[in-house]
mmCIF file of all heavy atoms in Angstrom:
data_model
loop_
_atom_site.group_PDB
_atom_site.id
_atom_site.type_symbol
_atom_site.label_atom_id
_atom_site.label_comp_id
_atom_site.label_asym_id
_atom_site.label_seq_id
_atom_site.Cartn_x
_atom_site.Cartn_y
_atom_site.Cartn_z
ATOM 1 N N ASN A 68 -2.998 56.293 -27.742
ATOM 2 C CA ASN A 68 -3.275 56.159 -26.309
ATOM 3 C C ASN A 68 -3.742 54.752 -25.962
ATOM 4 O O ASN A 68 -3.328 54.171 -24.975
ATOM 5 C CB ASN A 68 -4.328 57.185 -25.879
ATOM 6 C CG ASN A 68 -3.879 58.602 -26.187
ATOM 7 O OD1 ASN A 68 -4.440 59.243 -27.047
ATOM 8 N ND2 ASN A 68 -2.829 59.061 -25.529
ATOM 9 N N ASN A 71 -0.746 52.576 -26.197
ATOM 10 C CA ASN A 71 0.094 52.753 -25.009
ATOM 11 C C ASN A 71 -0.413 51.908 -23.858
ATOM 12 O O ASN A 71 0.341 51.231 -23.182
ATOM 13 C CB ASN A 71 0.089 54.226 -24.566
ATOM 14 C CG ASN A 71 0.851 55.117 -25.527
ATOM 15 O OD1 ASN A 71 1.602 54.619 -26.374
ATOM 16 N ND2 ASN A 71 0.650 56.418 -25.410
ATOM 17 N N ASP A 91 1.403 56.245 -33.894
ATOM 18 C CA ASP A 91 2.047 57.542 -34.071
ATOM 19 C C ASP A 91 3.549 57.342 -33.932
ATOM 20 O O ASP A 91 4.027 56.944 -32.877
ATOM 21 C CB ASP A 91 1.521 58.493 -32.976
ATOM 22 C CG ASP A 91 2.054 59.900 -33.144
ATOM 23 O OD1 ASP A 91 3.018 60.086 -33.902
ATOM 24 O OD2 ASP A 91 1.491 60.804 -32.493
ATOM 25 N N ARG A 92 4.268 57.599 -34.977
ATOM 26 C CA ARG A 92 5.716 57.351 -34.972
ATOM 27 C C ARG A 92 6.415 58.103 -33.855
ATOM 28 O O ARG A 92 7.423 57.661 -33.334
ATOM 29 C CB ARG A 92 6.340 57.822 -36.294
ATOM 30 C CG ARG A 92 5.921 56.994 -37.459
ATOM 31 C CD ARG A 92 6.529 57.585 -38.701
ATOM 32 N NE ARG A 92 7.996 57.569 -38.622
ATOM 33 C CZ ARG A 92 8.784 58.455 -39.212
ATOM 34 N NH1 ARG A 92 8.250 59.444 -39.892
ATOM 35 N NH2 ARG A 92 10.085 58.361 -39.118
ATOM 36 N N LEU A 93 5.873 59.254 -33.499
ATOM 37 C CA LEU A 93 6.551 60.073 -32.502
ATOM 38 C C LEU A 93 6.436 59.504 -31.086
ATOM 39 O O LEU A 93 7.088 59.970 -30.168
ATOM 40 C CB LEU A 93 5.992 61.502 -32.543
ATOM 41 C CG LEU A 93 6.353 62.246 -33.828
ATOM 42 C CD1 LEU A 93 5.509 63.502 -33.959
ATOM 43 C CD2 LEU A 93 7.831 62.599 -33.837
ATOM 44 N N SER A 97 8.735 57.144 -26.022
ATOM 45 C CA SER A 97 8.119 56.665 -24.779
ATOM 46 C C SER A 97 8.092 55.148 -24.731
ATOM 47 O O SER A 97 8.367 54.545 -23.696
ATOM 48 C CB SER A 97 6.699 57.200 -24.663
ATOM 49 O OG SER A 97 6.690 58.579 -24.920
ATOM 50 N N GLU A 100 11.570 53.745 -24.125
ATOM 51 C CA GLU A 100 12.016 53.999 -22.758
ATOM 52 C C GLU A 100 11.290 53.105 -21.768
ATOM 53 O O GLU A 100 11.897 52.545 -20.859
ATOM 54 C CB GLU A 100 11.775 55.477 -22.417
ATOM 55 C CG GLU A 100 12.543 55.897 -21.184
ATOM 56 C CD GLU A 100 12.176 57.299 -20.748
ATOM 57 O OE1 GLU A 100 11.651 58.068 -21.566
ATOM 58 O OE2 GLU A 100 12.410 57.595 -19.565
ATOM 59 N N LYS A 101 9.975 52.958 -21.988
ATOM 60 C CA LYS A 101 9.180 52.108 -21.091
ATOM 61 C C LYS A 101 9.654 50.663 -21.168
ATOM 62 O O LYS A 101 9.839 49.994 -20.151
ATOM 63 C CB LYS A 101 7.697 52.213 -21.466
ATOM 64 C CG LYS A 101 6.751 51.439 -20.572
ATOM 65 C CD LYS A 101 6.554 52.133 -19.239
ATOM 66 C CE LYS A 101 5.663 51.298 -18.332
ATOM 67 N NZ LYS A 101 5.545 51.889 -16.998
ATOM 68 N N SER A 104 12.902 50.144 -19.405
ATOM 69 C CA SER A 104 12.789 50.082 -17.943
ATOM 70 C C SER A 104 12.313 48.717 -17.472
ATOM 71 O O SER A 104 12.518 48.344 -16.331
ATOM 72 C CB SER A 104 11.856 51.176 -17.435
ATOM 73 O OG SER A 104 10.517 50.811 -17.674
ATOM 74 N N ILE A 117 11.737 57.030 -34.648
ATOM 75 C CA ILE A 117 12.739 58.066 -34.846
ATOM 76 C C ILE A 117 14.097 57.463 -34.519
ATOM 77 O O ILE A 117 14.272 56.830 -33.477
ATOM 78 C CB ILE A 117 12.480 59.270 -33.906
ATOM 79 C CG1 ILE A 117 11.012 59.674 -33.916
ATOM 80 C CG2 ILE A 117 13.406 60.430 -34.234
ATOM 81 C CD1 ILE A 117 10.488 60.180 -35.233
ATOM 82 N N HIS A 120 15.850 57.912 -31.188
ATOM 83 C CA HIS A 120 15.186 57.217 -30.075
ATOM 84 C C HIS A 120 15.521 55.744 -30.088
ATOM 85 O O HIS A 120 15.792 55.149 -29.057
ATOM 86 C CB HIS A 120 13.665 57.395 -30.159
ATOM 87 C CG HIS A 120 13.240 58.804 -29.936
ATOM 88 N ND1 HIS A 120 12.071 59.304 -30.451
ATOM 89 C CD2 HIS A 120 13.834 59.815 -29.280
ATOM 90 C CE1 HIS A 120 11.970 60.576 -30.117
ATOM 91 N NE2 HIS A 120 13.020 60.910 -29.399
ATOM 92 N N LYS A 176 -0.174 61.405 -43.024
ATOM 93 C CA LYS A 176 0.664 62.553 -42.741
ATOM 94 C C LYS A 176 1.747 62.121 -41.767
ATOM 95 O O LYS A 176 1.480 61.443 -40.773
ATOM 96 C CB LYS A 176 -0.231 63.613 -42.079
ATOM 97 C CG LYS A 176 0.260 65.005 -42.269
ATOM 98 C CD LYS A 176 -0.600 65.955 -41.453
ATOM 99 C CE LYS A 176 -2.081 65.889 -41.864
ATOM 100 N NZ LYS A 176 -2.914 66.674 -40.944
ATOM 101 N N ASP A 177 2.979 62.440 -42.064
ATOM 102 C CA ASP A 177 4.104 62.164 -41.175
ATOM 103 C C ASP A 177 4.511 60.703 -41.071
ATOM 104 O O ASP A 177 5.375 60.357 -40.289
ATOM 105 C CB ASP A 177 3.846 62.698 -39.758
ATOM 106 C CG ASP A 177 3.756 64.201 -39.796
ATOM 107 O OD1 ASP A 177 4.497 64.797 -40.572
ATOM 108 O OD2 ASP A 177 2.924 64.756 -39.052
ATOM 109 N N HIS A 183 8.784 59.364 -47.731
ATOM 110 C CA HIS A 183 9.856 58.787 -48.537
ATOM 111 C C HIS A 183 9.370 58.291 -49.890
ATOM 112 O O HIS A 183 10.023 58.503 -50.915
ATOM 113 C CB HIS A 183 10.536 57.653 -47.775
ATOM 114 C CG HIS A 183 11.401 58.156 -46.671
ATOM 115 N ND1 HIS A 183 12.322 59.151 -46.836
ATOM 116 C CD2 HIS A 183 11.477 57.802 -45.358
ATOM 117 C CE1 HIS A 183 12.929 59.400 -45.687
ATOM 118 N NE2 HIS A 183 12.425 58.578 -44.761
ATOM 119 N N ILE A 189 9.498 61.440 -56.708
ATOM 120 C CA ILE A 189 9.638 62.739 -57.377
ATOM 121 C C ILE A 189 11.100 63.011 -57.707
ATOM 122 O O ILE A 189 11.468 63.355 -58.840
ATOM 123 C CB ILE A 189 9.074 63.864 -56.488
ATOM 124 C CG1 ILE A 189 7.552 63.690 -56.307
ATOM 125 C CG2 ILE A 189 9.376 65.242 -57.083
ATOM 126 C CD1 ILE A 189 6.957 64.552 -55.213
ATOM 127 N N ILE A 201 3.067 68.619 -60.603
ATOM 128 C CA ILE A 201 2.227 67.944 -59.602
ATOM 129 C C ILE A 201 0.957 68.757 -59.436
ATOM 130 O O ILE A 201 0.973 69.876 -58.908
ATOM 131 C CB ILE A 201 2.983 67.791 -58.272
ATOM 132 C CG1 ILE A 201 4.233 66.937 -58.491
ATOM 133 C CG2 ILE A 201 2.090 67.137 -57.219
ATOM 134 C CD1 ILE A 201 5.250 67.018 -57.401
ATOM 135 N N GLU B 59 -3.979 66.972 -28.309
ATOM 136 C CA GLU B 59 -3.753 66.390 -29.631
ATOM 137 C C GLU B 59 -4.449 67.212 -30.706
ATOM 138 O O GLU B 59 -3.888 67.485 -31.767
ATOM 139 C CB GLU B 59 -4.246 64.937 -29.661
ATOM 140 C CG GLU B 59 -3.284 64.016 -28.941
ATOM 141 C CD GLU B 59 -3.697 62.562 -29.010
ATOM 142 O OE1 GLU B 59 -4.803 62.281 -29.506
ATOM 143 O OE2 GLU B 59 -2.908 61.722 -28.561
ATOM 144 N N ASN B 67 -2.170 71.058 -39.388
ATOM 145 C CA ASN B 67 -3.015 71.411 -40.521
ATOM 146 C C ASN B 67 -2.580 72.737 -41.125
ATOM 147 O O ASN B 67 -2.566 72.888 -42.350
ATOM 148 C CB ASN B 67 -4.488 71.489 -40.100
ATOM 149 C CG ASN B 67 -5.075 70.097 -39.961
ATOM 150 O OD1 ASN B 67 -4.552 69.155 -40.574
ATOM 151 N ND2 ASN B 67 -6.108 69.964 -39.167
ATOM 152 N N THR B 138 10.987 63.999 -42.543
ATOM 153 C CA THR B 138 9.678 63.328 -42.522
ATOM 154 C C THR B 138 8.828 63.738 -41.333
ATOM 155 O O THR B 138 7.640 63.475 -41.306
ATOM 156 C CB THR B 138 9.853 61.800 -42.485
ATOM 157 O OG1 THR B 138 10.489 61.448 -41.259
ATOM 158 C CG2 THR B 138 10.669 61.317 -43.649
ATOM 159 N N ILE B 139 9.465 64.314 -40.346
ATOM 160 C CA ILE B 139 8.637 64.672 -39.192
ATOM 161 C C ILE B 139 8.745 66.140 -38.865
ATOM 162 O O ILE B 139 9.647 66.840 -39.324
ATOM 163 C CB ILE B 139 8.993 63.839 -37.934
ATOM 164 C CG1 ILE B 139 10.500 63.846 -37.716
ATOM 165 C CG2 ILE B 139 8.453 62.438 -38.070
ATOM 166 C CD1 ILE B 139 10.912 63.209 -36.421
ATOM 167 N N HIS B 140 7.851 66.573 -38.025
ATOM 168 C CA HIS B 140 7.839 67.947 -37.579
ATOM 169 C C HIS B 140 8.336 67.990 -36.144
ATOM 170 O O HIS B 140 8.421 66.982 -35.459
ATOM 171 C CB HIS B 140 6.411 68.483 -37.631
ATOM 172 C CG HIS B 140 5.456 67.601 -36.906
ATOM 173 N ND1 HIS B 140 4.731 66.653 -37.572
ATOM 174 C CD2 HIS B 140 5.156 67.479 -35.613
ATOM 175 C CE1 HIS B 140 3.995 65.993 -36.702
ATOM 176 N NE2 HIS B 140 4.248 66.469 -35.499
ATOM 177 N N HIS B 167 10.265 71.432 -56.011
ATOM 178 C CA HIS B 167 10.386 70.814 -54.696
ATOM 179 C C HIS B 167 11.673 71.120 -53.994
ATOM 180 O O HIS B 167 12.353 70.260 -53.495
ATOM 181 C CB HIS B 167 10.182 69.295 -54.813
ATOM 182 C CG HIS B 167 9.005 68.962 -55.642
ATOM 183 N ND1 HIS B 167 7.716 69.139 -55.184
ATOM 184 C CD2 HIS B 167 8.885 68.529 -56.918
ATOM 185 C CE1 HIS B 167 6.864 68.803 -56.135
ATOM 186 N NE2 HIS B 167 7.553 68.438 -57.204
ATOM 187 N N ASP B 201 10.653 64.666 -24.951
ATOM 188 C CA ASP B 201 11.275 63.347 -24.825
ATOM 189 C C ASP B 201 12.554 63.367 -23.989
ATOM 190 O O ASP B 201 13.095 62.339 -23.669
ATOM 191 C CB ASP B 201 11.521 62.743 -26.214
ATOM 192 C CG ASP B 201 12.276 63.695 -27.117
ATOM 193 O OD1 ASP B 201 12.483 64.848 -26.708
ATOM 194 O OD2 ASP B 201 12.640 63.280 -28.235
ATOM 195 N N TYR B 203 12.616 64.924 -21.042
ATOM 196 C CA TYR B 203 12.116 65.300 -19.720
ATOM 197 C C TYR B 203 12.300 66.780 -19.411
ATOM 198 O O TYR B 203 12.462 67.174 -18.274
ATOM 199 C CB TYR B 203 12.748 64.448 -18.604
ATOM 200 C CG TYR B 203 12.253 63.025 -18.652
ATOM 201 C CD1 TYR B 203 12.986 62.024 -19.281
ATOM 202 C CD2 TYR B 203 11.022 62.698 -18.094
ATOM 203 C CE1 TYR B 203 12.518 60.742 -19.350
ATOM 204 C CE2 TYR B 203 10.542 61.404 -18.160
ATOM 205 C CZ TYR B 203 11.288 60.424 -18.782
ATOM 206 O OH TYR B 203 10.810 59.147 -18.856
ATOM 207 N N VAL B 223 7.561 56.245 -14.051
ATOM 208 C CA VAL B 223 6.383 55.671 -14.717
ATOM 209 C C VAL B 223 6.612 55.531 -16.222
ATOM 210 O O VAL B 223 6.230 54.515 -16.809
ATOM 211 C CB VAL B 223 5.140 56.545 -14.433
ATOM 212 C CG1 VAL B 223 3.945 56.047 -15.213
ATOM 213 C CG2 VAL B 223 4.817 56.544 -12.946
ATOM 214 N N LEU B 225 5.365 55.629 -18.899
ATOM 215 C CA LEU B 225 4.137 55.549 -19.696
ATOM 216 C C LEU B 225 3.142 54.763 -18.863
ATOM 217 O O LEU B 225 3.501 53.765 -18.253
ATOM 218 C CB LEU B 225 4.439 54.814 -21.006
ATOM 219 C CG LEU B 225 3.530 55.051 -22.197
ATOM 220 C CD1 LEU B 225 3.578 56.514 -22.608
ATOM 221 C CD2 LEU B 225 3.979 54.185 -23.367
ATOM 222 N N ASP B 242 0.833 59.851 -20.584
ATOM 223 C CA ASP B 242 0.513 59.333 -21.913
ATOM 224 C C ASP B 242 1.164 60.204 -22.979
ATOM 225 O O ASP B 242 1.563 61.338 -22.707
ATOM 226 C CB ASP B 242 -1.015 59.322 -22.093
ATOM 227 C CG ASP B 242 -1.443 58.166 -22.986
ATOM 228 O OD1 ASP B 242 -0.591 57.642 -23.734
ATOM 229 O OD2 ASP B 242 -2.611 57.791 -22.921
ATOM 230 N N THR B 243 1.258 59.639 -24.161
ATOM 231 C CA THR B 243 1.856 60.421 -25.246
ATOM 232 C C THR B 243 0.811 61.368 -25.815
ATOM 233 O O THR B 243 -0.387 61.111 -25.739
ATOM 234 C CB THR B 243 2.331 59.497 -26.378
ATOM 235 O OG1 THR B 243 1.215 58.731 -26.811
ATOM 236 C CG2 THR B 243 3.418 58.563 -25.905
ATOM 237 N N GLY B 245 -0.421 62.787 -29.240
ATOM 238 C CA GLY B 245 -0.319 62.440 -30.658
ATOM 239 C C GLY B 245 0.324 63.557 -31.476
ATOM 240 O O GLY B 245 0.209 64.736 -31.133
ATOM 241 N N ASN B 246 1.032 63.164 -32.522
ATOM 242 C CA ASN B 246 1.675 64.101 -33.437
ATOM 243 C C ASN B 246 2.822 64.872 -32.796
ATOM 244 O O ASN B 246 3.236 65.892 -33.305
ATOM 245 C CB ASN B 246 0.680 65.117 -34.009
ATOM 246 C CG ASN B 246 -0.338 64.436 -34.897
ATOM 247 O OD1 ASN B 246 0.027 63.510 -35.631
ATOM 248 N ND2 ASN B 246 -1.570 64.838 -34.810
ATOM 249 N N SER B 247 3.293 64.372 -31.655
ATOM 250 C CA SER B 247 4.443 65.010 -31.045
ATOM 251 C C SER B 247 5.200 63.980 -30.230
ATOM 252 O O SER B 247 4.667 62.912 -29.951
ATOM 253 C CB SER B 247 3.998 66.149 -30.125
ATOM 254 O OG SER B 247 3.454 65.611 -28.960
ATOM 255 N N ARG B 250 4.944 64.148 -23.914
ATOM 256 C CA ARG B 250 4.055 63.356 -23.069
ATOM 257 C C ARG B 250 3.330 64.288 -22.105
ATOM 258 O O ARG B 250 3.854 65.338 -21.730
ATOM 259 C CB ARG B 250 4.852 62.336 -22.257
ATOM 260 C CG ARG B 250 4.954 61.009 -22.980
ATOM 261 C CD ARG B 250 5.876 60.083 -22.260
ATOM 262 N NE ARG B 250 7.259 60.489 -22.423
ATOM 263 C CZ ARG B 250 8.259 59.949 -21.747
ATOM 264 N NH1 ARG B 250 8.016 58.998 -20.853
ATOM 265 N NH2 ARG B 250 9.495 60.340 -21.951
#
Side-chain angles (χ1 to χ4, degrees):
Chain A
N68 302 111
N71 289 346
D91 184 345
R92 292 177 61 210
L93 292 166
S97 312
E100 196 187 340
K101 183 75 183 175
S104 77
I117 314 296
H120 293 154
K176 206 186 301 172
D177 295 323
H183 286 311
I189 295 167
I201 299 164
Chain B
E59 284 183 353
N67 283 337
T138 64
I139 49 173
H140 53 264
H167 314 287
D201 52 353
Y203 290 97
V223 175
L225 203 62
D242 212 340
T243 57
N246 294 322
S247 74
R250 268 173 287 171

